[in-house]
Amino acid sequence: MLNQNRSFSKQKKLSMTATLTINASDDVLTGSVSVDPISKRLDEIEAYLGAYVEVKRFSGTVLIAQANNSPIVRSYGLANREHKVVNAPATKFRIGSVTKQFTAVAILQLQEEGFLDLQAPISTYLSDYAKGDCITVHHLLTHTSGISEYLNPEVFPDLLEWMRQSSTLAQLVERFEALPLEFSPGERFSYSNSGYILLTQIIEAVSGQPYADYLQVNVFDPLGMKSTGYERPQTVVADLAQGYLYVGDEAYLQAMPLDMSIPQGAGGLYSTVADLAVWTQWLHDKHADSIVLSAVAKEMLMQPVVPMDADGESGVYYGYGLVVDARSERQCVCHDGGISGFSSALAYYPKEALTIAVLSNLETTASALVAEDLASIVFGKPYELPGQREAIELDSSVYGKYVGLYQLLPKMQITLRVVDGELTAQATGQGAFVLYPTSETEFFAQVADITVTFSLAENNTVKGLTLYQLGKAMFAPKVSE
C-alpha cells in the first residue's frame, strides 16, 4: 500500500520562470552565429553530420552550444516519412534514458522539502515492496540495488508482446518484485530500469501527484521548458516525430509498438534540443535560481558515486541519473538514451561550458558516439567519419560454418542463420539483421554501426566472433552449431 498521508504543496514553484540565454525560437537557434570556437568548426561539423545522413545513420536534430555564444542547431531527415514532414529545431523526440536525470532531480527536490531521505530504505515509502527494508533510495538512483531488469528478454520471454500493452505502475512493479536480487544492495553497479520504475512510484507516493504532473509543475514549468513532457499513452503530442528503423536498401520500418505506460521515469519523456540546452545550462549554473533545486543538491547529482565497470578502472562513474566520464582531460557529464524508434544523447563539458544534444528518430543512430565526435571536432581532436561500406560478392556456401550460437554477454547471445542466401544475426530479444561481407571473415550491418570479424582455428572451424560497435570490441565465443 502506497503512503498517501503526507501533506504536500509545491505551488510556489508555479510563480517563477527561469530566464536563460538559450531561447527555443527557431530564429535564434538557426540564425547567424558569432565568431567563436564552434562557428570556426561549422564546416567540419556539417560535413560530419552530412556523412551520417548520407549513410542513413542519422535523422533528427543536433544542438551545440558553448557558454553565451549563439548555439548551432541543424536538423536532417524526416520527422514523419509517411507524410513527408521534415525534422526541425522545434521537433520533439522521445529521449529514452535521458529521462533519468529528471527523475533524479524530482527525488532530490523531495528530499530538500523534507519528504524523503535518500539513505532511507524504500519500505519507508513503499511499505509493501518485498525486500524494501534492505534497498535504499540511493541504491535505486545509482543502479546498485541488485533488482532484476524488467526489460530483460531472457527473464521475460513475452517482453516484445508485453511492451505493446498498457500497464499501471503497480503492474510494472509486480513484474519484477518477486524475483531474487542479483546481488546484495550496494555491492556493485548493474544498470537497472526497474530501479527508476520504483523511483517513479516513490515520487507519486510521497507527492500525491502522478509522475507526469509532478515534473510538469515542479520542473518543466519553472524552467520554461514548454516543449518537454511525459508522453501519456494514446495522447497526440504536437510536433512529435515518428520513430523508425533503417533496414537497408533505402527502406525504413516503423519502430516496434511500445505503450508509453511502460517506460515511466526510466525513459518516458520527450523534448527538443532547445529545451535540453535550457535544462543543461540551468543544471550546471551554480548561480541559477534555486527555485527547482539548490546548487548543493545539483552537485549531488553529478558526484561520481559508483564505477560503471567491474574493475573500477575505466574512469566512468554513475551519479544520480547522470554519467560522469573522466577518461580524458576533459570531464564530461552525460547520458544517452534509446527507446523504440529513437536514440538520444545529452552531454556537457563543465570546463569548456560546452553542451551537445543529439536527438534522432532512427533507433539505430549511435547518438552517444555522434555527441562524442562532435565534441572532438570542437576541441580539435581526432575522430572518424562514417563511411559507406561496400559489400562484396561471396558464395553463400561460405556462411554455413558461421551458423550457430555465440555468447556475447552473460545474458545475451547472438544467433547466426542463413536466410534466403544471406547471413543474418539476431541478439537475444532483438530483431534479426543482415550481415554483409567485406571479406570472407569480415562483415557489417547496414542497420547500425556494427562490424563483425570471425576468428578461425587452424582447421578452419569458427572459434567465435568479435563485434565492434561504438568504438568498443566484444568477443563472443561460438558455443553451439
Side-chain angles (χ1 to χ4, degrees):
M1 182 127 179
L2 298 183
N3 180 3
Q4 300 286 358
N5 296 322
R6 295 174 182 267
S7 60
F8 191 86
S9 174
K10 302 281 274 188
Q11 294 304 312
K12 65 179 183 179
K13 294 189 183 294
L14 286 171
S15 62
M16 297 182 64
T17 299
T19 301
L20 300 169
T21 59
I22 296 178
N23 191 295
S25 62
D26 290 358
D27 56 338
V28 172
L29 290 174
T30 58
S32 60
V33 295
S34 59
V35 178
D36 56 58
I38 302 177
S39 64
K40 291 177 181 178
R41 303 281 186 179
L42 183 57
D43 289 345
E44 197 173 354
I45 289 168
E46 291 183 335
Y48 173 85
L49 292 171
Y52 259 89
V53 173
E54 180 68 22
V55 297
K56 308 297 187 296
R57 294 191 215 167
F58 183 71
S59 169
T61 299
V62 168
L63 176 143
I64 308 172
Q66 189 167 33
N68 292 320
N69 295 305
S70 298
I72 291 172
V73 176
R74 293 294 183 268
S75 296
Y76 301 87
L78 297 175
N80 187 294
R81 294 186 172 274
E82 291 83 351
H83 300 287
K84 306 298 182 185
V85 179
V86 298
N87 279 316
T91 302
K92 298 167 186 170
F93 300 82
R94 292 178 182 173
I95 62 173
S97 287
V98 175
T99 297
K100 288 181 172 68
Q101 58 198 276
F102 294 91
T103 301
V105 163
I107 289 291
L108 289 180
Q109 271 189 344
L110 292 169
Q111 175 169 264
E112 285 202 313
E113 295 286 339
F115 290 102
L116 62 75
D117 180 354
L118 299 187
Q119 303 306 324
I122 63 174
S123 57
T124 308
Y125 316 107
L126 307 176
S127 58
D128 291 341
Y129 185 78
K131 308 177 208 58
D133 290 339
C134 65
I135 299 169
T136 66
V137 178
H138 169 85
H139 291 143
L140 300 181
L141 286 167
T142 56
H143 302 288
T144 56
S145 67
I147 296 173
S148 294
E149 173 58 60
Y150 82 114
L151 300 179
N152 185 344
E154 287 194 357
V155 178
F156 304 104
D158 65 339
L159 180 66
L160 296 182
E161 181 60 33
W162 172 77
M163 290 176 68
R164 301 167 181 252
Q165 303 168 15
S166 177
S167 292
T168 65
L169 250 180
Q171 289 171 333
L172 292 178
V173 173
E174 286 174 6
R175 191 160 170 87
F176 58 81
E177 182 177 5
L179 296 174
L181 295 179
E182 296 181 353
F183 52 86
S184 298
E187 180 181 310
R188 59 183 174 86
F189 174 90
S190 181
Y191 196 87
S192 172
N193 288 295
S194 304
Y196 276 75
I197 296 299
L198 286 173
L199 290 171
T200 306
Q201 197 172 41
I202 289 172
I203 291 168
E204 295 197 354
V206 171
S207 71
Q209 297 175 267
Y211 173 82
D213 293 346
Y214 181 89
L215 284 185
Q216 192 66 53
V217 171
N218 299 293
V219 179
F220 305 142
D221 287 346
L223 293 178
M225 297 174 66
K226 298 180 180 179
S227 297
T228 303
Y230 185 85
E231 187 182 345
R232 302 172 193 265
Q234 285 77 56
T235 299
V236 175
V237 179
D239 299 319
L240 180 66
Q242 168 71 44
Y244 297 94
L245 180 71
Y246 179 65
V247 294
D249 296 326
E250 304 295 323
Y252 295 84
L253 297 178
Q254 285 193 355
M256 181 190 72
L258 170 67
D259 191 279
M260 288 306 292
S261 65
I262 301 297
Q264 297 289 332
L269 297 182
Y270 62 82
S271 192
T272 63
V273 292
D275 267 12
L276 291 179
V278 168
W279 166 260
T280 302
Q281 183 171 335
W282 165 79
L283 193 62
H284 295 274
D285 184 354
K286 296 180 180 179
H287 305 292
D289 198 311
S290 60
I291 189 170
V292 172
L293 202 63
S294 70
V296 172
K298 288 194 290 185
E299 284 292 326
M300 292 178 65
L301 287 166
M302 292 170 272
Q303 291 299 309
V305 177
V306 56
M308 294 178 67
D309 61 316
D311 56 18
E313 296 180 357
S314 71
V316 182
Y317 297 84
Y318 207 88
Y320 289 165
L322 286 165
V323 175
V324 181
D325 187 343
R327 288 176 296 177
S328 69
E329 72 275 13
R330 290 185 170 89
Q331 188 182 79
C332 178
V333 180
C334 56
H335 212 296
D336 60 346
I339 193 168
S340 183
F342 295 84
S343 176
S344 59
L346 181 61
Y348 183 78
Y349 293 81
K351 184 178 178 181
E352 296 80 12
L354 176 69
T355 298
I356 298 176
V358 179
L359 299 180
S360 175
N361 62 326
L362 278 185
E363 184 176 328
T364 46
T365 294
S367 291
L369 178 61
V370 172
E372 187 175 329
D373 283 350
L374 290 172
S376 295
I377 293 173
V378 173
F379 299 143
K381 297 294 184 180
Y383 63 94
E384 290 186 12
L385 282 172
Q388 184 70 58
R389 305 183 185 100
E390 295 293 335
I392 64 170
E393 292 290 335
L394 198 62
D395 192 317
S396 60
S397 63
V398 174
Y399 302 151
K401 63 187 174 187
Y402 298 134
V403 171
L405 194 64
Y406 298 76
Q407 193 73 42
L408 184 66
L409 295 169
K411 294 184 178 181
M412 178 176 285
Q413 296 175 322
I414 299 178
T415 302
L416 266 63
R417 304 181 179 92
V418 177
V419 180
D420 296 332
E422 294 181 312
L423 185 63
T424 68
Q426 184 172 18
T428 302
Q430 301 180 24
F433 55 88
V434 176
L435 290 175
Y436 297 94
T438 55
S439 74
E440 190 168 320
T441 58
E442 296 178 328
F443 295 75
F444 70 90
Q446 284 190 337
V447 298
D449 186 25
I450 292 174
T451 59
V452 169
T453 300
F454 290 96
S455 299
L456 304 181
E458 290 184 4
N459 62 358
N460 207 37
T461 59
V462 179
K463 295 191 294 185
L465 64 81
T466 301
L467 185 146
Y468 300 90
Q469 187 177 26
L470 303 180
K472 297 180 180 179
M474 293 183 288
F475 180 74
K478 189 174 185 180
V479 294
S480 67
E481 297 295 329

